[in-house]
Coordinates of all heavy atoms in Angstrom, one line a residue:
M1 N 222.6 169.3 44.0 CA 223.8 168.7 43.8 C 223.6 167.1 43.9 O 223.0 166.6 44.8 CB 224.8 169.1 45.0 CG 226.2 168.3 44.8 SD 227.3 168.8 46.2 CE 228.0 170.2 45.4
A2 N 224.1 166.5 42.9 CA 224.0 165.0 42.8 C 225.1 164.3 43.5 O 226.2 164.8 43.6 CB 223.9 164.6 41.3
L3 N 224.8 163.0 43.8 CA 225.8 162.2 44.4 C 227.0 162.0 43.3 O 226.7 162.0 42.2 CB 225.3 160.8 44.7 CG 224.3 160.7 45.9 CD1 223.8 159.2 45.9 CD2 225.0 161.0 47.2
E4 N 228.2 161.9 43.9 CA 229.4 161.7 43.0 C 229.3 160.5 42.2 O 229.9 160.4 41.1 CB 230.6 161.8 43.9 CG 231.9 161.8 43.1 CD 233.1 162.0 44.0 OE1 233.0 162.1 45.2 OE2 234.2 161.9 43.4
L5 N 228.8 159.4 42.7 CA 228.8 158.0 42.2 C 230.2 157.6 41.8 O 230.6 157.5 40.6 CB 227.9 158.0 40.9 CG 226.4 158.2 41.1 CD1 225.7 157.9 39.8 CD2 225.8 157.3 42.2
R6 N 231.0 157.3 42.8 CA 232.3 156.9 42.6 C 232.4 155.5 41.9 O 231.5 154.7 42.1 CB 233.0 156.8 43.9 CG 233.1 158.2 44.6 CD 233.8 158.2 46.0 NE 233.7 159.5 46.5 CZ 234.1 159.8 47.7 NH1 234.5 158.9 48.5 NH2 234.1 161.0 48.1
P7 N 233.4 155.3 41.1 CA 233.3 154.1 40.1 C 233.9 152.9 40.7 O 233.8 151.8 40.0 CB 234.2 154.6 39.0 CG 235.3 155.5 39.7 CD 234.5 156.2 40.7
N8 N 234.4 152.8 42.0 CA 234.9 151.5 42.4 C 234.8 151.4 43.9 O 234.6 152.4 44.6 CB 236.5 151.5 42.0 CG 237.2 152.6 42.7 OD1 236.9 153.8 42.6 ND2 238.3 152.2 43.5
C9 N 235.0 150.2 44.4 CA 235.1 149.9 45.8 C 236.5 150.4 46.3 O 237.5 150.0 45.7 CB 234.9 148.4 46.0 SG 235.2 147.9 47.8
E10 N 236.4 151.2 47.3 CA 237.7 151.7 47.9 C 238.5 150.7 48.6 O 239.7 151.0 48.8 CB 237.4 152.9 48.8 CG 236.7 154.1 48.1 CD 236.4 155.3 48.9 OE1 237.1 155.6 49.9 OE2 235.4 155.8 48.7
Y11 N 238.0 149.5 48.9 CA 238.7 148.5 49.6 C 239.3 147.5 48.6 O 240.5 147.3 48.5 CB 237.8 147.8 50.5 CG 238.5 146.9 51.5 CD1 238.8 147.3 52.8 CD2 238.9 145.6 51.2 CE1 239.5 146.5 53.6 CE2 239.6 144.7 52.0 CZ 239.9 145.2 53.3 OH 240.6 144.4 54.2
C12 N 238.5 146.9 47.7 CA 239.0 145.9 46.8 C 239.1 146.3 45.3 O 239.6 145.5 44.5 CB 238.1 144.6 46.9 SG 236.5 144.9 46.0
D13 N 238.7 147.5 45.0 CA 238.8 148.1 43.7 C 237.9 147.5 42.7 O 238.0 147.7 41.5 CB 240.3 148.1 43.1 CG 240.5 149.1 42.0 OD1 239.9 150.2 42.1 OD2 241.2 148.8 41.1
K14 N 236.8 146.8 43.1 CA 235.9 146.3 42.2 C 235.1 147.5 41.5 O 234.8 148.5 42.1 CB 234.8 145.4 43.0 CG 233.6 144.9 42.2 CD 232.7 144.2 43.0 CE 231.5 143.8 42.2 NZ 230.5 143.0 42.9
D15 N 234.9 147.3 40.2 CA 234.1 148.3 39.5 C 232.7 148.3 40.0 O 232.0 147.3 40.2 CB 234.0 147.9 38.0 CG 235.4 148.1 37.3 OD1 236.2 148.9 37.8 OD2 235.6 147.5 36.2
L16 N 232.2 149.6 40.2 CA 230.9 149.8 40.7 C 230.2 150.8 39.7 O 230.2 152.0 40.0 CB 230.8 150.3 42.1 CG 231.3 149.3 43.2 CD1 231.5 150.0 44.5 CD2 230.4 148.0 43.2
P17 N 229.7 150.4 38.6 CA 229.0 151.3 37.6 C 227.8 152.0 38.3 O 227.4 151.5 39.3 CB 228.7 150.4 36.4 CG 228.6 149.1 37.0 CD 229.6 149.0 38.1
P18 N 227.3 153.0 37.6 CA 226.1 153.7 38.1 C 224.9 152.9 38.5 O 224.1 153.2 39.3 CB 225.8 154.8 37.1 CG 227.0 154.9 36.3 CD 227.7 153.6 36.3
D19 N 224.8 151.7 37.8 CA 223.6 150.8 38.0 C 223.9 149.7 38.9 O 223.2 148.8 39.1 CB 223.0 150.4 36.7 CG 224.0 149.5 35.9 OD1 225.2 149.5 36.2 OD2 223.5 149.0 34.9
A20 N 225.1 149.7 39.6 CA 225.5 148.6 40.5 C 224.5 148.5 41.7 O 224.4 149.5 42.5 CB 226.9 148.8 40.9
T21 N 223.9 147.4 41.9 CA 223.0 147.2 43.0 C 223.8 146.8 44.3 O 223.2 146.8 45.4 CB 221.9 146.1 42.7 OG1 222.6 144.9 42.4 CG2 221.1 146.6 41.6
D22 N 225.1 146.5 44.1 CA 225.9 146.1 45.3 C 226.8 147.2 45.8 O 227.6 147.0 46.7 CB 226.7 144.8 45.0 CG 227.7 145.0 44.0 OD1 227.5 145.9 43.1 OD2 228.7 144.2 44.0
A23 N 226.5 148.4 45.4 CA 227.4 149.6 45.9 C 226.8 150.1 47.2 O 225.5 150.2 47.3 CB 227.3 150.7 44.8
R24 N 227.7 150.4 48.1 CA 227.3 151.0 49.4 C 228.0 152.3 49.7 O 229.2 152.3 49.2 CB 227.6 149.9 50.5 CG 226.9 148.6 50.4 CD 225.4 148.7 50.6 NE 224.7 147.4 50.4 CZ 224.2 146.9 49.3 NH1 224.3 147.6 48.2 NH2 223.6 145.7 49.3
I25 N 227.3 153.2 50.3 CA 228.0 154.5 50.6 C 227.7 154.9 52.0 O 226.7 154.5 52.6 CB 227.5 155.6 49.6 CG1 225.9 155.8 49.7 CG2 227.9 155.4 48.2 CD1 225.4 157.0 49.0
C26 N 228.6 155.7 52.5 CA 228.4 156.3 53.8 C 227.9 157.7 53.6 O 227.7 158.1 52.5 CB 229.7 156.3 54.7 SG 230.9 157.6 54.2
T27 N 227.8 158.4 54.7 CA 227.2 159.8 54.6 C 228.1 160.8 53.8 O 227.7 161.8 53.3 CB 226.9 160.4 55.9 OG1 226.1 161.6 55.8 CG2 228.1 160.6 56.8
Y28 N 229.4 160.4 53.7 CA 230.4 161.2 53.0 C 230.7 160.7 51.6 O 231.6 161.1 50.9 CB 231.7 161.3 53.7 CG 231.6 162.1 55.0 CD1 231.5 161.4 56.2 CD2 231.5 163.5 55.0 CE1 231.4 162.1 57.4 CE2 231.3 164.2 56.2 CZ 231.2 163.4 57.4 OH 231.1 164.1 58.6
E29 N 229.8 159.8 51.1 CA 229.9 159.1 49.8 C 231.1 158.2 49.6 O 231.4 157.8 48.5 CB 229.8 160.2 48.7 CG 228.6 161.0 48.6 CD 228.6 162.0 47.5 OE1 228.8 161.5 46.3 OE2 228.3 163.1 47.7
C30 N 231.8 157.8 50.7 CA 232.8 156.8 50.6 C 232.1 155.6 50.0 O 230.9 155.3 50.4 CB 233.3 156.4 52.0 SG 234.1 157.8 52.8
T31 N 232.7 154.9 49.1 CA 231.9 153.9 48.3 C 232.7 152.5 48.4 O 233.9 152.5 48.2 CB 231.9 154.3 46.8 OG1 231.2 155.6 46.8 CG2 231.1 153.3 46.0
F32 N 231.9 151.5 48.7 CA 232.5 150.1 48.8 C 231.4 149.2 48.2 O 230.3 149.5 48.1 CB 232.7 149.8 50.3 CG 233.7 150.7 50.9 CD1 233.4 151.9 51.5 CD2 235.1 150.4 50.9 CE1 234.3 152.8 52.0 CE2 236.1 151.2 51.4 CZ 235.7 152.4 52.0
C33 N 231.9 148.0 47.9 CA 231.0 146.9 47.5 C 230.3 146.3 48.7 O 230.9 146.3 49.8 CB 231.7 145.9 46.6 SG 232.9 144.9 47.4
A34 N 229.2 145.7 48.5 CA 228.4 145.1 49.6 C 229.3 144.0 50.3 O 229.2 143.8 51.5 CB 227.1 144.5 49.1
D35 N 230.0 143.2 49.5 CA 230.8 142.1 50.0 C 231.9 142.7 51.0 O 232.0 142.1 52.1 CB 231.5 141.3 48.9 CG 232.3 140.2 49.5 OD1 231.7 139.3 50.1 OD2 233.5 140.0 49.2
C36 N 232.6 143.7 50.7 CA 233.6 144.3 51.6 C 232.9 144.9 52.8 O 233.4 144.7 53.9 CB 234.4 145.4 50.8 SG 235.6 144.6 49.7
V37 N 231.7 145.6 52.6 CA 231.0 146.1 53.8 C 230.6 145.0 54.7 O 230.8 145.3 56.0 CB 229.8 146.9 53.3 CG1 228.9 147.3 54.4 CG2 230.2 148.2 52.6
D38 N 230.1 143.9 54.2 CA 229.6 142.8 55.1 C 230.7 142.0 55.7 O 230.7 141.6 56.8 CB 228.7 142.0 54.3 CG 227.4 142.6 53.9 OD1 227.1 143.7 54.5 OD2 226.7 142.2 52.9
T39 N 231.8 141.7 54.9 CA 232.8 140.7 55.4 C 234.1 141.2 55.8 O 234.9 140.5 56.5 CB 233.0 139.6 54.2 OG1 233.7 140.2 53.1 CG2 231.7 139.0 53.8
K40 N 234.4 142.5 55.4 CA 235.7 143.0 55.9 C 235.5 144.3 56.8 O 236.3 144.4 57.7 CB 236.5 143.4 54.6 CG 236.9 142.2 53.8 CD 237.6 142.6 52.5 CE 238.0 141.4 51.7 NZ 236.9 140.6 51.1
L41 N 234.6 145.1 56.5 CA 234.4 146.3 57.2 C 233.3 146.2 58.3 O 233.3 147.1 59.2 CB 234.0 147.5 56.2 CG 235.0 147.7 55.2 CD1 234.5 148.8 54.1 CD2 236.3 148.2 55.7
F42 N 232.5 145.2 58.2 CA 231.4 145.0 59.2 C 230.6 146.2 59.5 O 230.3 146.6 60.6 CB 232.0 144.4 60.5 CG 232.8 143.2 60.3 CD1 234.1 143.2 60.2 CD2 232.1 141.9 60.1 CE1 234.9 142.1 59.9 CE2 232.8 140.8 59.9 CZ 234.2 140.8 59.7
N43 N 230.1 146.9 58.4 CA 229.3 148.1 58.3 C 229.9 149.3 59.1 O 229.2 150.1 59.6 CB 227.9 147.8 58.9 CG 226.9 148.8 58.5 OD1 227.0 149.4 57.4 ND2 225.9 149.1 59.4
V44 N 231.3 149.3 59.1 CA 232.0 150.5 59.7 C 232.8 151.2 58.5 O 233.7 150.5 58.0 CB 232.9 150.0 60.8 CG1 233.7 151.2 61.3 CG2 232.1 149.3 61.9
C45 N 232.5 152.4 58.2 CA 233.3 153.1 57.2 C 234.7 153.3 57.7 O 234.8 153.9 58.9 CB 232.6 154.4 56.9 SG 233.6 155.3 55.6
P46 N 235.7 152.9 57.0 CA 237.1 153.0 57.6 C 237.5 154.5 57.5 O 238.6 154.9 58.1 CB 237.9 152.2 56.6 CG 237.1 152.1 55.4 CD 235.7 152.2 55.8
N47 N 236.8 155.3 56.9 CA 237.2 156.7 56.8 C 236.5 157.6 57.9 O 237.2 158.5 58.5 CB 236.9 157.3 55.4 CG 237.6 156.6 54.3 OD1 238.8 156.4 54.4 ND2 236.9 156.1 53.3
C48 N 235.3 157.4 58.2 CA 234.5 158.2 59.1 C 234.0 157.5 60.3 O 233.6 158.1 61.2 CB 233.4 159.0 58.4 SG 232.0 158.0 57.9
G49 N 233.9 156.2 60.3 CA 233.4 155.4 61.4 C 231.9 155.2 61.3 O 231.3 154.5 62.1
G50 N 231.2 155.8 60.3 CA 229.8 155.6 60.2 C 229.4 154.3 59.5 O 230.2 153.5 59.2
G51 N 228.1 154.2 59.3 CA 227.6 153.0 58.6 C 227.3 153.2 57.2 O 227.6 154.3 56.6
F52 N 226.8 152.2 56.5 CA 226.6 152.3 55.1 C 225.1 152.1 54.7 O 224.4 151.5 55.5 CB 227.3 151.2 54.3 CG 228.9 151.4 54.5 CD1 229.6 150.7 55.4 CD2 229.4 152.2 53.5 CE1 231.0 150.9 55.5 CE2 230.8 152.4 53.6 CZ 231.6 151.8 54.6
A53 N 224.7 152.6 53.5 CA 223.4 152.4 53.0 C 223.6 152.0 51.5 O 224.6 152.4 50.9 CB 222.6 153.6 53.1
P54 N 222.6 151.3 50.9 CA 222.7 151.1 49.4 C 222.8 152.4 48.7 O 222.1 153.3 49.0 CB 221.4 150.4 49.1 CG 221.0 149.7 50.4 CD 221.4 150.7 51.5
R55 N 223.7 152.5 47.7 CA 223.8 153.7 46.8 C 222.7 153.7 45.9 O 222.4 152.7 45.2 CB 225.2 153.6 46.1 CG 225.4 154.9 45.3 CD 226.7 154.9 44.6 NE 226.6 154.0 43.4 CZ 227.6 153.6 42.7 NH1 228.8 154.1 42.9 NH2 227.5 152.8 41.7
P56 N 221.9 154.8 45.8 CA 220.9 154.9 44.8 C 221.4 154.7 43.4 O 222.5 155.0 43.0 CB 220.3 156.3 45.0 CG 220.8 156.8 46.3 CD 222.1 156.0 46.5
I57 N 220.4 154.2 42.5 CA 220.7 154.1 41.1 C 220.3 155.4 40.4 O 219.1 155.8 40.6 CB 220.0 152.9 40.5 CG1 220.2 151.6 41.3 CG2 220.2 152.8 39.0 CD1 221.6 151.1 41.1
R58 N 221.2 155.9 39.7 CA 220.9 157.1 38.9 C 220.2 156.7 37.6 O 220.7 155.8 36.9 CB 222.1 157.9 38.6 CG 221.8 159.3 37.8 CD 223.0 160.2 37.8 NE 223.3 160.5 39.2 CZ 224.4 161.1 39.6 NH1 225.4 161.3 38.8 NH2 224.7 161.3 40.9
P59 N 219.0 157.2 37.3 CA 218.3 156.9 36.1 C 219.1 157.0 34.8 O 219.9 157.9 34.6 CB 217.1 157.8 36.0 CG 216.9 158.3 37.4 CD 218.3 158.3 37.9
S60 N 219.0 156.0 34.0 CA 219.7 156.0 32.7 C 218.9 156.8 31.6 O 219.4 157.2 30.7 CB 220.0 154.6 32.2 OG 218.8 153.9 32.0
I61 N 217.6 156.8 31.9 CA 216.7 157.6 30.9 C 216.4 158.9 31.6 O 216.1 159.0 32.7 CB 215.4 156.7 30.7 CG1 215.8 155.4 30.1 CG2 214.4 157.5 29.9 CD1 214.7 154.4 30.0
E62 N 216.4 159.9 30.7 CA 216.1 161.3 31.2 C 214.6 161.5 31.3 O 213.9 162.0 30.4 CB 216.7 162.3 30.2 CG 216.6 163.7 30.7 CD 217.3 164.7 29.7 OE1 217.9 164.3 28.7 OE2 217.2 165.9 30.0
W63 N 214.0 161.0 32.4 CA 212.6 161.1 32.7 C 212.2 162.6 32.9 O 211.1 163.0 32.7 CB 212.2 160.3 33.9 CG 212.5 158.8 33.7 CD1 213.5 158.1 34.2 CD2 211.8 157.9 32.8 NE1 213.5 156.8 33.8 CE2 212.4 156.7 32.9 CE3 210.7 158.0 32.0 CZ2 212.0 155.5 32.2 CZ3 210.3 156.9 31.3 CH2 210.9 155.6 31.4
R64 N 213.1 163.3 33.5 CA 212.9 164.8 33.7 C 214.0 165.5 33.1 O 215.2 165.0 33.1 CB 212.8 165.1 35.3 CG 211.8 164.4 36.0 CD 210.5 165.0 35.8 NE 209.4 164.5 36.7 CZ 208.1 164.8 36.6 NH1 207.7 165.6 35.6 NH2 207.3 164.2 37.4
P65 N 213.9 166.7 32.6 CA 214.9 167.4 31.9 C 216.2 167.6 32.7 O 216.1 168.0 33.9 CB 214.3 168.8 31.6 CG 212.8 168.5 31.6 CD 212.6 167.5 32.6
G66 N 217.3 167.1 32.2 CA 218.6 167.2 32.8 C 219.0 166.2 33.9 O 220.0 166.3 34.4
L67 N 218.1 165.3 34.1 CA 218.3 164.3 35.2 C 218.5 162.9 34.7 O 217.5 162.2 34.5 CB 217.2 164.4 36.2 CG 217.0 165.8 36.9 CD1 215.8 165.8 37.8 CD2 218.3 166.2 37.7
S68 N 219.7 162.5 34.4 CA 220.0 161.2 34.0 C 221.5 161.0 34.1 O 222.2 161.9 34.3 CB 219.5 160.9 32.6 OG 220.3 161.6 31.6
V69 N 221.9 159.7 33.9 CA 223.4 159.4 33.9 C 224.0 160.2 32.7 O 225.2 160.8 32.9 CB 223.6 157.9 33.7 CG1 225.1 157.6 33.4 CG2 223.2 157.2 34.9
A70 N 223.4 160.4 31.6 CA 224.0 161.1 30.4 C 224.1 162.6 30.7 O 225.1 163.2 30.4 CB 223.1 160.9 29.2
K71 N 223.2 163.1 31.5 CA 223.2 164.6 31.8 C 224.1 164.9 33.0 O 224.6 166.0 33.1 CB 221.8 165.1 32.0 CG 220.9 165.0 30.7 CD 221.4 166.0 29.6 CE 220.5 165.8 28.4 NZ 220.8 166.8 27.4
R72 N 224.1 164.0 34.0 CA 224.9 164.2 35.1 C 225.7 162.9 35.3 O 225.4 162.0 36.1 CB 224.0 164.4 36.4 CG 223.3 165.6 36.2 CD 222.7 166.1 37.5 NE 222.0 167.4 37.3 CZ 221.5 168.1 38.3 NH1 221.7 167.8 39.5 NH2 220.9 169.2 38.0
P73 N 226.8 162.8 34.6 CA 227.6 161.5 34.6 C 228.3 161.2 35.9 O 228.6 162.2 36.7 CB 228.6 161.8 33.5 CG 228.7 163.2 33.3 CD 227.4 163.8 33.7
P74 N 228.5 160.0 36.2 CA 229.3 159.6 37.4 C 230.7 160.0 37.3 O 231.2 160.3 36.3 CB 229.1 158.1 37.4 CG 228.9 157.7 36.0 CD 228.2 158.8 35.3
S75 N 231.4 160.0 38.5 CA 232.8 160.2 38.6 C 233.6 159.1 37.9 O 233.2 158.0 37.8 CB 233.2 160.3 40.0 OG 234.6 160.5 40.1
T76 N 234.7 159.5 37.3 CA 235.6 158.5 36.8 C 236.9 158.4 37.6 O 237.8 157.6 37.3 CB 236.1 158.9 35.3 OG1 236.7 160.3 35.4 CG2 234.9 158.9 34.4
Q77 N 237.0 159.2 38.7 CA 238.1 159.2 39.6 C 238.0 158.0 40.5 O 237.1 158.0 41.4 CB 238.3 160.5 40.4 CG 239.4 160.6 41.3 CD 239.5 161.8 42.1 OE1 238.7 162.7 41.9 NE2 240.5 161.9 43.0
R78 N 239.0 157.1 40.4 CA 239.0 155.9 41.3 C 239.6 156.3 42.6 O 240.4 157.2 42.7 CB 239.8 154.8 40.7 CG 239.1 154.3 39.3 CD 239.8 153.2 38.8 NE 239.4 151.9 39.4 CZ 238.3 151.2 39.1 NH1 237.5 151.6 38.2 NH2 238.1 150.0 39.7
R79 N 239.0 155.8 43.7 CA 239.5 156.1 45.0 C 240.1 154.9 45.7 O 239.7 153.7 45.3 CB 238.3 156.6 45.9 CG 237.5 157.7 45.4 CD 238.3 159.0 45.6 NE 237.5 160.1 45.1 CZ 237.0 161.1 45.8 NH1 237.2 161.1 47.1 NH2 236.4 162.1 45.2
S80 N 241.0 155.1 46.6 CA 241.5 154.0 47.4 C 241.6 154.4 48.9 O 241.5 155.6 49.1 CB 242.9 153.5 46.9 OG 243.8 154.6 46.9
L81 N 241.8 153.5 49.7 CA 241.8 153.8 51.2 C 243.0 154.6 51.5 O 244.1 154.4 51.0 CB 241.8 152.5 52.0 CG 240.5 151.7 51.9 CD1 240.8 150.3 52.4 CD2 239.4 152.4 52.6
G82 N 242.9 155.4 52.5 CA 243.9 156.3 53.0 C 244.5 155.7 54.3 O 245.4 156.3 55.0
Y83 N 244.0 154.5 54.8 CA 244.5 153.9 56.0 C 244.9 152.4 55.7 O 244.4 151.8 54.7 CB 243.3 153.8 57.0 CG 242.8 155.1 57.3 CD1 241.7 155.7 56.6 CD2 243.4 155.8 58.3 CE1 241.2 156.9 57.0 CE2 242.9 157.1 58.7 CZ 241.8 157.6 58.0 OH 241.3 158.9 58.3
D84 N 245.8 151.9 56.4 CA 246.3 150.6 56.2 C 245.3 149.5 56.8 O 244.4 149.9 57.5 CB 247.7 150.3 56.6 CG 247.9 150.4 58.1 OD1 247.0 150.0 58.9 OD2 249.0 150.8 58.6
I85 N 245.4 148.3 56.3 CA 244.5 147.3 56.7 C 244.4 147.1 58.2 O 243.3 146.9 58.7 CB 244.8 145.9 55.9 CG1 244.7 146.1 54.4 CG2 243.9 144.8 56.4 CD1 243.4 146.6 53.9
A86 N 245.5 147.1 58.9 CA 245.5 146.9 60.3 C 244.7 148.0 61.0 O 243.9 147.8 61.9 CB 246.9 146.9 60.9
D87 N 244.9 149.2 60.6 CA 244.1 150.4 61.1 C 242.6 150.1 60.8 O 241.8 150.4 61.8 CB 244.5 151.7 60.5 CG 245.8 152.2 61.0 OD1 246.3 151.7 62.1 OD2 246.5 153.0 60.3
I88 N 242.3 149.7 59.7 CA 240.9 149.5 59.3 C 240.2 148.4 60.1 O 239.1 148.5 60.7 CB 240.7 149.2 57.8 CG1 241.1 150.4 57.0 CG2 239.4 148.7 57.4 CD1 241.3 150.1 55.5
Q89 N 241.0 147.3 60.3 CA 240.5 146.2 61.1 C 240.3 146.6 62.5 O 239.3 146.2 63.2 CB 241.4 145.0 61.0 CG 241.4 144.4 59.7 CD 242.5 143.3 59.4 OE1 243.5 143.3 60.2 NE2 242.4 142.5 58.5
A90 N 241.2 147.4 63.1 CA 241.1 147.8 64.5 C 239.9 148.7 64.6 O 239.1 148.6 65.7 CB 242.3 148.6 64.9
L91 N 239.6 149.6 63.7 CA 238.4 150.5 63.8 C 237.1 149.7 63.7 O 236.2 149.9 64.5 CB 238.5 151.6 62.7 CG 237.3 152.6 62.8 CD1 237.4 153.5 64.1 CD2 237.3 153.5 61.6
S92 N 237.1 148.7 62.8 CA 235.9 147.9 62.6 C 235.7 147.1 63.9 O 234.5 146.9 64.3 CB 236.1 146.9 61.4 OG 236.1 147.6 60.2
R93 N 236.7 146.5 64.5 CA 236.5 145.8 65.7 C 235.9 146.7 66.8 O 235.1 146.2 67.6 CB 237.8 145.1 66.2 CG 238.2 143.8 65.5 CD 239.3 143.1 66.2 NE 240.5 143.9 66.3 CZ 241.5 144.0 65.4 NH1 241.4 143.4 64.3 NH2 242.5 144.8 65.6
E94 N 236.4 147.9 66.9 CA 236.0 148.7 68.0 C 234.6 149.2 67.8 O 233.9 149.4 68.8 CB 236.9 150.0 68.0 CG 236.6 151.0 69.0 CD 237.5 152.2 69.0 OE1 238.5 152.2 68.3 OE2 237.2 153.2 69.7
L95 N 234.1 149.4 66.6 CA 232.8 150.0 66.3 C 231.7 149.1 65.8 O 230.5 149.5 65.9 CB 233.0 151.2 65.3 CG 233.9 152.3 65.7 CD1 233.9 153.4 64.6 CD2 233.4 152.9 67.0
R96 N 232.1 147.9 65.4 CA 231.1 147.0 64.7 C 229.9 146.7 65.5 O 228.8 146.4 65.0 CB 231.8 145.8 64.2 CG 232.3 144.8 65.2 CD 233.2 143.9 64.7 NE 232.6 142.7 64.1 CZ 233.3 141.7 63.6 NH1 234.6 141.7 63.5 NH2 232.6 140.7 63.2
D97 N 230.0 146.6 66.8 CA 228.9 146.2 67.7 C 228.1 147.4 68.2 O 227.1 147.3 68.9 CB 229.3 145.5 68.9 CG 230.0 144.1 68.5 OD1 229.4 143.5 67.5 OD2 230.9 143.7 69.1
I98 N 228.5 148.6 67.8 CA 227.7 149.8 68.1 C 226.9 150.2 66.9 O 227.4 150.4 65.8 CB 228.6 151.0 68.4 CG1 229.6 150.7 69.6 CG2 227.8 152.3 68.7 CD1 230.7 151.7 69.8
P99 N 225.5 150.3 66.9 CA 224.8 150.6 65.8 C 225.2 151.9 65.2 O 225.6 152.8 65.9 CB 223.3 150.7 66.3 CG 223.3 149.9 67.6 CD 224.8 150.0 68.2
P100 N 225.1 152.1 63.8 CA 225.6 153.3 63.2 C 224.9 154.6 63.8 O 225.6 155.6 63.9 CB 225.2 153.1 61.8 CG 225.2 151.7 61.5 CD 224.7 151.1 62.9
E101 N 223.6 154.5 64.1 CA 223.0 155.7 64.7 C 223.5 156.1 66.1 O 223.1 157.1 66.6 CB 221.4 155.4 64.7 CG 220.9 154.4 65.6 CD 221.0 153.0 65.1 OE1 221.6 152.7 64.0 OE2 220.3 152.1 65.7
R102 N 224.3 155.2 66.7 CA 224.8 155.6 68.1 C 226.3 155.9 68.0 O 226.9 156.1 69.1 CB 224.5 154.4 68.9 CG 223.0 154.2 69.1 CD 222.7 153.1 70.0 NE 222.3 153.8 71.3 CZ 222.5 153.3 72.5 NH1 222.8 152.1 72.6 NH2 222.1 154.0 73.5
R103 N 226.9 155.8 66.9 CA 228.3 156.1 66.8 C 228.7 157.6 66.8 O 228.1 158.4 66.2 CB 229.0 155.5 65.5 CG 229.0 154.0 65.6 CD 229.7 153.4 64.3 NE 229.2 152.1 64.1 CZ 229.1 151.5 63.0 NH1 229.4 152.1 61.9 NH2 228.6 150.3 62.9

């Protein structure tokens, strides 16, 4: 099963195409841009409380049969936050000084 590769930052709605080097994901594939992760979320996923990692780039060329953006296209469903900004800020303040591996 391949990553969903969500098309946008769930916080600011910035486009994050499959080759975006500034896309970040949590363990549940919640997707945000690096700027929001660093300056608004402080490496705290507002949905699960976990940390973020750079989202891998899906190859555009089919180096192996069936494995490329063309064969396994990214999602087109845009996502947005299910929590309000005050809730997100409160969770970030609570968890930001706890390393992700200890949350």
